[in-house]
Amino acid sequence: MKKIAVFDTKPYDKEWFEKLGDHYTFKFIESKLNKDTAGLAKGCQGVCAFVNDEICKETIEQLEELGIPLIAMRCAGYSNVDFKAAYGKIHVVRVPVYSPHAVAEHTMALLLAVNRKIHKAYNRTRDFNFSLNGLTGMDLYGKTIGIIGTGKIGQTFIEICKGFGMRILAYDLYPAKNLGYEYVDLDTLFRESDVISLHCPLTEQTKHILSREAFHKMKKGVYIINTSRGTLIETEALLEALNNGTVAGAGLDVYEEEAEYFFEDMSGVIMKDDMLSLLVSKPNVLLTSHQAFLTNEALENIARVTIQNLDEFFEEKALTNEVCYHCQTGKIMENCRKNEKGRCF
Ligand code: NAD
């Protein structure tokens, strides 16, 4: 039986991998995968990794030394993988879709909660404080929402927003056709939106897409929602915009420097990240710890597709969900051999 080292394992990951993957032996490892922990995969034929693992050049070199030919990402995003270092050495597969609904619904949950101050109301009523002062929100009906990135999650979220009677403005490098909403340039989206929600991947182009300059262009009182990747927002600029009232509230499931903290119980240690402390201390910021994906349906799909990816690899089949240095953008395919070989190299 092939042995797979599953890094950064949580109890909720194990359940579905054990249920659906009984033809593999899984070595569940709590540590994140990085250059210091890669050695724990010794004796395994593949590794399974997650969003905040550091799959840098050194990590890849160590895995290669151990003779590991496959990294199976159990997530959609892959900004933490050094594809250049992996190309030609280790195949990287991922789970491109597991439940856009899980993430889109959490996005709406954040928007509703931060706008209607549900997090504050919850704390007040638990203390028998039934005052409504300071809890005024706005109707979402008739408001304009700017969606940056109209892929699977962006489109699913747009359908939810339409149900609320919101006007949709969209921005994407590759606009979808005939979906019944308006694509505009970023400046127009910044200028006209009452809510801005991020659904694009983290790339060199999208890093700090919400920068200080971008916040200057926004409507006063805009709500910012980010369930995509933390580094899409320049956190320092967001804090300034929260302080000067440009941003009325922010619902964040991701944070620029989350890798060190998110998914872990840090309640017993002194928080050294001052920006994170400032964000958490603001009553108009609602932070969740990268939990938008966390539904039963998504966890089952993640395990099922990851196991399919492993099966394809070990049965020497074409790798449906492989990504590489050349094809990771989905557009630059010239040097990727997927079309001819079914595998990127
Ligand atoms: P997707 O690939 O279906 O869609 C991404 C969209 O972004 C595409 O339409 C693409 O054209 C667009 N895009 C790429 N570069 C762009 C740019 N420079 N400007 C504007 N648009 C650009 O991906 P998806 O499944 O919808 O996921 C979106 C993001 O959600 C992922 O990249 C990931 O970071 C994040 N995500 C978060 C969680 C979570 O738990 N918080 C879970 C899954 C995914």
Side-chain angles (χ1 to χ4, degrees), residues 202 206-212 214 230-235 256:
L202 175 63
T206 59
K207 181 179 176 188
H208 291 177
I209 196 164
L210 300 194
S211 60
R212 185 166 285 110
T231 309
L232 297 175
I233 300 183
E234 186 181 354
T235 310
E256 271 194 274

Side-chain angles (χ1 to χ4, degrees), residues 76 96 98 103 148-154 171-174 199-201 203 205-206 209 227-229 253-254 290 292-293:
Y98 42 86
V103 183
I148 302 183
T150 55
K152 294 172 286 294
I153 295 170
Y171 172 77
D172 196 297
L173 275 191
Y174 309 102
H199 300 286
C200 56
T203 63
Q205 274 172 307
T206 59
I209 196 164
T227 55
S228 206
R229 282 292 177 268
D253 189 48
V254 286
H290 210 134
F293 75 99

Side-chain angles (χ1 to χ4, degrees), residues 107-168:
T107 309
M108 184 48 91
L110 283 175
L111 172 55
L112 288 171
V114 80
N115 167 36
R116 302 304 297 268
K117 284 95 179 148
I118 302 297
H119 52 305
K120 291 174 80 176
Y122 174 75
N123 284 332
R124 280 190 194 182
T125 53
R126 281 169 67 87
D127 220 12
F128 302 107
N129 172 357
F130 300 114
S131 161
L132 298 184
N133 295 340
L135 298 187
T136 310
M138 67 174 180
D139 284 10
L140 292 181
Y141 179 81
K143 295 293 185 305
T144 299
I145 183 157
I147 309 283
I148 302 183
T150 55
K152 294 172 286 294
I153 295 170
Q155 284 182 29
T156 307
F157 183 54
I158 286 173
E159 289 309 312
I160 295 174
C161 295
K162 281 185 183 167
F164 277 77
M166 301 187 83
R167 172 188 173 227
I168 314 292

Side-chain angles (χ1 to χ4, degrees), residues 221-257:
V222 65
Y223 282 86
I224 302 292
I225 311 293
N226 187 8
T227 55
S228 206
R229 282 292 177 268
T231 309
L232 297 175
I233 300 183
E234 186 181 354
T235 310
E236 226 178 306
L238 171 64
L239 283 165
E240 271 173 36
L242 283 159
N243 285 345
N244 67 29
T246 304
V247 173
L252 309 173
D253 189 48
V254 286
Y255 166 62
E256 271 194 274
E257 304 298 333

